[in-house]
Amino acid sequence: MSFMRAVQLLGKGDIRFAEVPWPAAPGPGEVMVRIEAAGICGSDIHNFRTGQWISRSPSIPGHEFSGRVERVGDGVSRLKQGDRVVADSRYWCGECPSCRAGETHLCAKLGFVGEVCDGGFAQMAVLPERLLLKADESIAAGVAAAAEPLAVALHAVKRLSVEQGKPVLVTGCGMIGALSALLLSRTNPVRVADRNAARAGLVAEVAGATLATLDAEGLANVAGVIEATGSTAVLDVLVRQSPGGARIALVGIFHGTIALDPTLLVERELSLLGCHAYRDELPEAVALLPKLASGIAAFLGAPITLKDVPDAYRRIIAGEVSSPKTVIVP
């Protein structure tokens, strides 16, 4: 039996580089993808730290990736060997009321690639054809792998729905925050805040944003906030100090809860908007990649190998990574 290189999540706090059997040939409607680049997402870190979404062990994480079609199963019609593809991270049932209404991101049984099935932290992955989109051949593999987080950012910006020209604050300069700032800067003045000064400075420079502090001055006159830290302390500040009428779009994955005084929302007409993954923005994100390629590339750190992933998790948790996105090249 031959083996491939991969990363396995075995349980809470337990992630390892491993050699695992090559995946079986793709079945009907399935596609085997040779991974070219994969991104480490904040939700990957959250799952590692909390075990919240571990439904099978061991599993191969990774839901942000690009690659080339290696083989196709019977009945595959859209894709052929050699096509560049990116992955749709959402594994929906297609049968619940939300799915039948086209709201697959709100599927009652929603899982994600890298959790309910093996993902892209490996040399190969096998997925249903429905979860793969063709991508532009002209862009780098790491930029193509950013299609999924770009779709998340697009969904958050649409949910925020702030009038053009109004100031917007982005809290958290990980990849979702960075891409949100990049998107918003085309139509609005953008401020960014992050406890990692180097990362905040990079995002501000690339997106043409200004650096802000998380206080009354930094929040003055903002019409909306993209909250991408997942910090309950940050959310508490936003609820208490955002101007009246502000809209706050929550896209970070939170640890813990806050004591919320709903009267603050009522008296100041604040809007808290949950943003879960994305609805139908992935094709739009794929189409935008060539236009945003230089900005996205600036957000990518030096590529790492699969062997480096466990240490990369440690460095990300410790706040030692200054780039919004850590990219794996298998």
Side-chain angles (χ1 to χ4, degrees):
M1 178 183 292
S2 59
F3 293 85
M4 70 172 181
R5 296 184 297 277
V7 171
Q8 290 185 312
L9 180 65
L10 288 86
K12 176 182 175 181
D14 189 357
I15 192 164
R16 308 177 191 178
F17 170 77
E19 292 191 347
V20 302
W22 287 90
E30 292 183 333
V31 177
M32 180 181 288
V33 179
R34 182 179 293 274
I35 308 299
E36 292 186 325
I40 299 176
C41 177
S43 62
D44 294 320
I45 301 298
H46 178 86
N47 201 28
F48 167 76
R49 295 177 69 182
T50 67
Q52 182 175 349
W53 303 305
I54 295 176
S55 59
R56 46 196 290 278
S57 178
S59 62
I60 296 174
H63 57 270
E64 303 175 4
F65 59 86
S66 66
R68 298 277 179 183
V69 173
E70 183 78 5
R71 297 177 64 181
V72 299
D74 292 341
V76 171
S77 58
R78 289 189 300 104
L79 301 172
K80 64 181 185 303
Q81 186 177 20
D83 282 346
R84 166 170 276 174
V85 292
V86 298
D88 187 331
S89 62
R90 307 162 305 157
Y91 211 108
W92 63 90
C93 74
E95 300 173 353
C96 71
S98 292
C99 285
R100 291 198 299 270
E103 304 282 349
T104 50
H105 64 305
L106 302 178
C107 171
K109 300 178 181 178
L110 186 66
F112 285 86
V113 172
E115 295 161 14
V116 299
C117 67
D118 285 337
F121 291 0
Q123 291 178 275
M124 293 282 185
V126 175
L127 292 176
E129 184 186 26
R130 69 172 186 167
L131 297 185
L132 295 168
L133 280 73
K134 292 178 71 171
D136 194 292
E137 295 285 341
S138 68
I139 57 178
V143 172
E148 197 272 353
L150 181 58
V152 175
L154 278 166
H155 185 64
V157 169
K158 289 180 181 180
R159 290 278 289 157
L160 187 66
S161 188
V162 167
E163 182 181 343
Q164 185 171 331
K166 298 289 187 180
V168 178
L169 172 67
V170 176
T171 56
C173 291
M175 195 58 162
I176 303 302
L179 291 172
S180 297
L182 190 63
L183 291 168
L184 285 161
S185 66
R186 300 181 300 172
T187 56
N188 297 76
V190 178
R191 306 169 194 172
V192 296
D194 192 290
R195 64 180 180 179
N196 185 317
R199 189 162 67 174
L202 172 64
V203 173
E205 179 181 358
V206 173
T210 58
L211 294 171
T213 49
L214 195 60
D215 53 22
E217 181 180 353
L219 283 159
N221 301 317
V222 298
V225 181
I226 298 279
E227 201 312 287
T229 67
S231 164
T232 54
V234 169
L235 178 57
D236 185 62
V237 172
L238 295 178
V239 170
R240 294 179 183 280
Q241 298 202 30
S242 291
R247 299 169 63 84
I248 305 170
L250 310 179
V251 68
I253 301 298
F254 286 85
H255 296 262
T257 60
I258 65 170
L260 176 65
D261 180 359
T263 302
L264 293 175
L265 306 183
V266 173
E267 291 181 341
R268 299 197 351 255
E269 290 198 343
L270 300 178
S271 299
L272 294 182
L273 306 160
C275 305
H276 188 223
Y278 46 92
R279 187 180 186 273
D280 50 11
E281 289 86 1
L282 187 58
E284 181 183 356
V286 172
L288 276 174
L289 288 175
K291 297 177 183 178
L292 301 178
S294 61
I296 293 172
F299 293 150
L300 308 180
I304 66 172
T305 70
L306 290 164
K307 284 186 177 180
D308 300 324
V309 171
D311 185 60
Y313 270 49
R314 179 196 63 76
R315 290 187 292 108
I316 291 170
I317 292 169
E320 298 172 1
V321 177
S322 58
S323 298
K325 178 58 65 177
T326 298
V327 177
I328 306 158
V329 178

